Amino acid sequence: SDEDKHVYGTDGVGPAIDFDGDVLVTIDTGTSPDTPSCVMEHKNRLMLGIGSSVIYSGPGLPHAFTAADGAGEIAVGDTITNLNRQPGESSTSTLGVYGKDSTQFLVGDSPSDWKLIPYKNGVGAYPHTSQTLNHAYVFDRNGLIDYRASSTFGNFSQSAITVGLQPFVNQFRAGTSCSVVERSKSQYRVFFSDGNGLFCTIVNGKFRGALPVQFAHAPYVAWEGL
């Protein structure tokens, strides 16, 4: 029910937070420093990106991060910038683990059979740019990247879909601040720390166009409403 739903968040400078609509509390993972930069629920666990590791909670226990609770750590070898569950049924979903210069996919149902599959070095994601429409999308030095699963589970393909906008991408790409999707318009929207933004329209997996925008005040947090 809505009463059981919580919001989890990170800011990269302090512990993760848990907000139930009335009370906000911090989450102690026991790591040092305890400064996760991204968060995602996956396989009934809270997954946190801290440095170059994914820290995961016990099953159904978002505040439990000891081995006795079934929690653990997965080293990925690159500073994590985004976590994003790939589209699919909850029983078969895969977690995308993005660094600035790498992409990996966590496949499997639980720590007993989880496997981290490296996808491609040199293709990653800038911080706070992973979103899901019909596919998973991120923004990196090549612009907007479309990730999609192939016919074989665990295999993925990717392509840059804003090739024609590379001069814009080159000018503003290093300062991404946040992103969001506008589902009613089938848009992926990315914002930059200088107030610029890029709205990309994607219909049924096909790129239809993009519009650069500029705001007087730079957005730093974006939220998808209902």
Side-chain angles (χ1 to χ4, degrees):
S1 68
D2 290 342
E3 293 181 354
D4 298 325
K5 293 181 179 180
H6 290 227
V7 173
Y8 299 96
T10 61
D11 62 9
V13 297
I17 60 97
D18 174 354
F19 180 57
D20 66 2
D22 296 308
V23 179
L24 186 148
V25 297
T26 58
I27 299 174
D28 180 9
T29 68
T31 61
S32 181
D34 194 357
T35 56
S37 60
C38 48
V39 59
M40 178 62 60
E41 181 276 329
H42 182 64
K43 301 294 184 181
N44 200 32
R45 297 170 184 266
L46 195 68
M47 318 289 282
L48 296 167
I50 304 180
S52 59
S53 292
V54 176
I55 308 296
Y56 58 88
S57 74
L61 302 169
H63 288 257
F65 284 89
T66 67
D69 296 314
E73 177 179 358
I74 303 170
V76 302
D78 190 10
T79 300
I80 298 170
T81 59
N82 295 263
L83 298 172
N84 191 10
R85 193 170 58 247
Q86 308 302 292
E89 298 295 330
S90 60
S91 60
T92 60
S93 61
T94 298
L95 185 70
V97 181
Y98 304 95
K100 184 177 180 180
D101 298 303
S102 66
T103 298
Q104 303 180 67
F105 294 103
L106 184 67
V107 301
D109 294 322
S110 68
S112 64
D113 69 348
W114 275 344
K115 183 178 181 181
L116 193 64
I117 300 176
Y119 176 69
K120 184 181 291 187
N121 287 328
V123 178
Y126 286 128
H128 317 301
T129 64
S130 64
Q131 297 292 337
T132 300
L133 279 168
N134 54 315
H135 304 135
Y137 296 91
V138 300
F139 199 87
D140 85 336
R141 63 173 61 87
N142 299 305
L144 184 60
I145 304 295
D146 174 355
Y147 283 92
R148 63 185 70 189
S150 69
S151 57
T152 304
F153 176 73
N155 292 332
F156 292 82
S157 63
Q158 54 81 214
S159 62
I161 63 176
T162 53
V163 175
L165 295 171
Q166 199 61 42
F168 178 90
V169 172
N170 292 342
Q171 184 178 0
F172 297 111
R173 64 188 182 184
T176 57
S177 58
C178 59
S179 63
V180 71
V181 292
E182 171 54 84
R183 298 188 188 278
S184 66
K185 297 182 179 180
S186 196
Q187 287 183 343
Y188 170 97
R189 299 178 176 183
V190 61
F191 303 94
F192 305 94
S193 58
D194 63 356
N196 282 277
L198 187 66
F199 291 7
C200 303
T201 301
I202 306 157
V203 180
N204 295 324
K206 295 183 179 181
F207 178 65
R208 297 300 188 187
L211 176 68
V213 296
Q214 187 172 34
F215 298 92
H217 303 283
Y220 283 93
V221 176
W223 183 266
E224 179 188 358
L226 298 177

